[in-house]
Amino acid sequence: MILTLTPNPSLDRTIELPGPLERGEVQRAIAASAHPGGKGVNIVRALTVSGTDALALLPGDASDDVVLALQREDIPHLSLPIGAPLRSNVAVTEPDGTTTKVNEPGPVLSAAQLAALLELAVEKSDGAAWLVLAGSLPPGAPEGYYSHVISAVRARYGDSSPLIAVDSSGAPLAASVAAGPDLLKPNAEELAELTGIGDGPSLEEDPSLAAAAAQHLVDRGTGAVLATLGSKGAVLVTAAGSWLATGPAIVARSTVGAGDSALAGYLLGTLRGDSPAACLQQAVAHGAAAASLPGTLVPALHQTHPDAVTVTALDARLGELS
């Protein structure tokens, strides 16, 4: 079982344009779709279509559009009623794959609601292989919320705790590092912000530098770092080694959720007992497959092509800054 906690879920709407986005102009879409979203929800969607046991935890009333969409798509979930509507996000995609996103802030959760959501995650972590803490936090939530969840789960279950992954950004991601998660999943921009090494474009162009940045996090107690580098693939750094994976060229239709699918692919690999390099290979295969699909669709395992992904061992120490 893979469990995800998404404190700030959304209904993700995608609008496909026939040409480039033109600011200030009226344009007609060629397609539109809506799916339940938020990083943890997307991960469970990808795992479920691949036949893997997963459960999404999130706030939301039974009548909320996000929760109703989860029911329609048969996505396993448990929602905590909050008496307020969840947010909607809008992504506009262009034919070359360029994606423009507008994300709403989401509802404010009270301290009691945040505590109840935390306790739900602790309760359902019993026997789980992974707990994934995913996405942004609701407005006003403590920046260290994910760290509190990690501490509470480990205090309850000790050596029987699930492995814990964090896929977030900004202050919540930075605060989680001190808790020593088993896996962090930043993109290049988030990795640069987290470590102070380079910036998003420079890390995407120089995988060795990205691996060096990830190595800093492993040295500080993170079990592993899976850093996605957009079209350049991804790097994985653990205490045992570092690897770069690059996929074949694809025609990108939408990058929304590609990183979430990459993490889902990595988790699938761990459940199979794959080597770290093979887990990375599956992650990049999943991310590439997601980017080639329209809107926020997620790929099933049979739609991915890990054999087309090349994995190369790296020496993260060689990329260290002097």
Side-chain angles (χ1 to χ4, degrees):
M1 159 73 80
I2 294 177
L3 187 69
T4 71
L5 173 63
T6 307
N8 199 21
S10 59
L11 188 69
D12 286 350
R13 305 179 186 276
T14 302
I15 299 170
E16 291 188 64
L17 296 179
L21 175 66
E22 299 177 18
R23 293 184 61 197
E25 299 297 328
V26 175
Q27 294 177 261
R28 295 187 182 277
I30 56 173
S33 61
H35 294 280
K39 286 182 177 295
V41 169
N42 289 337
I43 291 166
V44 171
R45 289 174 59 218
L47 293 170
T48 299
V49 298
S50 295
T52 300
D53 191 17
L55 178 67
L57 306 179
L58 65 154
D61 298 341
S63 60
D64 192 274
D65 286 344
V66 174
V67 178
L68 292 175
L70 286 167
Q71 293 174 355
R72 286 194 299 270
E73 296 188 21
D74 292 325
I75 306 301
H77 65 280
L78 281 176
S79 60
L80 180 75
I82 57 172
L86 297 172
R87 61 182 179 150
S88 292
N89 294 336
V90 177
V92 179
T93 63
E94 301 171 46
D96 66 353
T98 300
T99 302
T100 303
K101 296 185 67 178
V102 180
N103 291 349
E104 295 182 6
V108 175
L109 301 188
S110 69
Q113 289 169 333
L114 287 168
L117 194 61
L118 183 152
E119 180 55 34
L120 181 63
V122 172
E123 175 190 342
K124 294 301 178 182
S125 290
D126 189 12
W130 281 93
L131 167 63
V132 183
L133 310 177
S136 62
L137 296 177
E143 293 177 352
Y145 185 73
Y146 284 148
S147 293
H148 298 326
V149 176
I150 293 171
S151 297
V153 169
R154 290 176 174 168
R156 176 76 60 88
Y157 300 109
D159 292 342
S160 299
S161 298
L163 297 171
I164 300 177
V166 180
D167 184 2
S168 187
S169 60
L173 178 62
S176 71
V177 174
D182 298 288
L183 176 69
L184 290 178
K185 208 297 293 170
N187 60 26
E189 182 178 349
E190 293 158 353
L191 180 60
E193 180 181 354
L194 194 56
T195 62
I197 295 176
D199 54 23
S202 67
L203 296 190
E204 287 189 359
E205 291 299 325
D206 187 350
S208 293
L209 187 61
Q215 184 68 54
H216 278 274
L217 300 173
V218 172
D219 291 344
R220 291 168 57 188
T222 297
V225 178
L226 171 64
T228 50
L229 306 178
S231 62
K232 304 298 184 180
V235 297
L236 175 67
V237 178
T238 74
S242 307
W243 300 267
L244 165 68
T246 55
I250 63 166
V251 177
R253 296 191 62 183
S254 172
T255 59
V256 179
D260 306 331
S261 290
L263 180 50
Y266 179 88
L267 298 175
L268 280 170
T270 67
L271 292 184
R272 293 189 306 225
D274 291 353
S275 68
C279 290
L280 175 62
Q281 190 175 38
Q282 187 63 61
V284 170
H286 253 81
S292 66
L293 294 173
T296 56
L297 292 178
V298 293
L301 186 59
H302 68 83
Q303 294 174 294
T304 70
H305 303 284
D307 290 345
V309 176
T310 301
V311 179
T312 306
L314 297 174
D315 186 344
R317 301 293 179 182
L318 293 180
E320 292 281 2
L321 296 181
S322 58

